[in-house]
Amino acid sequence: MKTSFRIALFGLACAAAPAQAVDIVFDYRYDSGGFFTDDRRAVLDDVARLFSGNLDDTLAAIQPTGDDVFVARIFDPVDPLNGTVVVPGLTVAADEIRIFVGARAFSGQTLGVGGPGFHVAGGSSDFVALADGRGEPGALASPPTDFAPWGGTITFGTNVGWYADDDVGTVENFAGLFDLYTVATHETAHVLGIGTADSWFAQVSDGSFTGAAATAVNDGVAPLLRDDGSDAHFDTSLRAAANGVDQVPLLAPVIPAGARRYMTELDWAALRDIGWDVASLQATVPAPIPEPATWGLMAGGLLLVGAAARRRAA
Ligand SMILES: [Ca+2]
Ligand SMILES: [Ca+2]
Ligand SMILES: [Zn+2]
């Protein structure tokens, strides 16, 4: 009788936790100013679930043993334009991408700054290759065709008003505020390599991004990049579909107040071009987590199974 109980439990676990490959983890240890209140962390959870649910890559763990050494360094989450810090003793689980977040008052109109971290690895050549490429051979190719970071940094500006949406599947009026979901999604895409990875810059030519998937989505024309010397963003003249609606690409450099923007097909296509295993070009919000009513049903079913098992045992 216990056997049937265990099978029921296993089925429940499968239903509740669909398999996902990449696991984005936001890390708040550098949030010295207390910027990340519960409602803001909930928005970042949505951003993590959006990318975790749509990127199917398998990334090796970085767990140095013996003579192997891994030292992770990041832009300082509370002062990213002026310094870097070492993350003491960081190790990285399989499929994990750890993003350290912070906040500070930027001069001017900066909403956020984001990018991948760095590292120094030493020891066996196998371990160094694993730290550099996490088992993705294209990340070690020349030129690189993939990108497999261990994580990075995002810093949000504190001199603007933020909107923390408790349901990113709906858009309401938040005039005058900046949308945390929009900006956090934009900056996470930078951590994942748009405008930052070698596999991105390997496909930049004459002010355009020449990746095949992005070009196909952009009506066969290599999408134009913002002409500011960084080649890190799409041009604001571009339009691409998000939820079937035309939108400026999320990875354009300007996000107005009061506006929600999603990852468009062009933004996802660019991630695919730089090496990510993107499941869908149409993802805009994360899949819903089970409603409390659903959980109640599941718990009820579980209790019934348990009761049946006990009865039979008796
Ligand atoms: Ca909403
Ligand atoms: Ca990959
Ligand atoms: Zn940007």
Side-chain angles (χ1 to χ4, degrees):
M1 292 309 114
K2 274 187 174 164
T3 305
S4 66
F5 188 50
R6 286 209 187 100
I7 288 167
L9 258 182
F10 181 67
L12 178 70
C14 284
Q20 59 185 37
V22 168
D23 182 19
I24 305 270
V25 177
F26 287 106
D27 189 309
Y28 299 97
R29 76 181 72 171
Y30 293 100
D31 180 29
S32 49
F35 177 83
F36 295 96
T37 49
D38 286 350
D39 56 341
R40 291 173 175 173
R41 291 184 187 210
V43 171
L44 264 58
D45 287 345
D46 286 330
V47 175
R49 286 171 48 238
L50 172 71
F51 287 100
S52 298
N54 203 36
L55 299 177
D56 291 340
D57 304 72
T58 299
L59 305 177
I62 305 174
Q63 311 277 4
T65 56
D67 292 334
D68 297 332
V69 178
F70 177 73
V71 179
R73 182 176 283 277
I74 53 175
F75 291 111
D76 185 346
V78 295
D79 196 8
L81 303 180
N82 291 307
T84 63
V85 293
V86 167
V87 184
L90 184 72
T91 61
V92 184
D95 298 327
E96 176 184 295
I97 295 175
R98 183 164 291 264
I99 302 176
F100 295 93
V101 290
R104 75 166 290 113
F106 290 112
S107 61
Q109 298 285 310
T110 301
L111 295 170
V113 174
F118 320 93
H119 65 269
V120 176
S124 70
S125 57
D126 281 356
F127 177 74
V128 172
L130 183 143
D132 290 347
R134 304 196 67 182
E136 298 279 68
L140 306 175
S142 185
T145 58
D146 203 341
F147 185 53
W150 60 260
T153 311
I154 298 175
T155 307
F156 296 89
T158 56
N159 50 358
V160 299
W162 289 101
Y163 178 63
D165 193 346
D166 63 4
D167 177 4
V168 297
T170 60
V171 184
E172 41 286 317
N173 180 15
F174 51 91
L177 299 176
F178 288 91
D179 186 34
L180 188 63
Y181 182 71
T182 297
V183 174
T185 306
H186 174 111
E187 301 301 343
T188 300
H190 281 319
V191 172
L192 296 175
I194 293 186
T196 57
D198 289 342
S199 59
W200 164 273
F201 289 108
Q203 299 175 85
V204 170
S205 176
D206 288 337
S208 294
F209 180 70
T210 63
T215 300
V217 165
N218 193 48
D219 297 329
V221 179
L224 193 62
L225 297 176
R226 173 79 160 198
D227 183 15
D228 61 4
S230 72
D231 288 332
H233 293 102
F234 290 120
D235 193 74
T236 47
S237 66
L238 297 176
R239 296 293 180 272
N243 266 336
V245 177
D246 269 9
Q247 183 203 281
V248 177
L250 180 62
L251 271 292
V254 180
I255 293 163
R260 163 73 42 81
R261 284 185 184 161
Y262 298 107
M263 288 286 285
T264 68
E265 292 181 5
L266 179 60
D267 300 295
W268 284 120
L271 282 179
R272 183 175 282 171
D273 285 328
I274 64 175
W276 292 100
D277 191 355
V278 176
S280 167
L281 300 184
Q282 272 82 43
T284 54
V285 295
I289 46 180
E291 299 283 321
T294 312
W295 283 111
L297 279 176
M298 282 181 173
L302 188 62
L303 280 176
L304 282 176
V305 172
R310 270 199 303 277
R311 255 203 315 277
R312 283 187 218 129

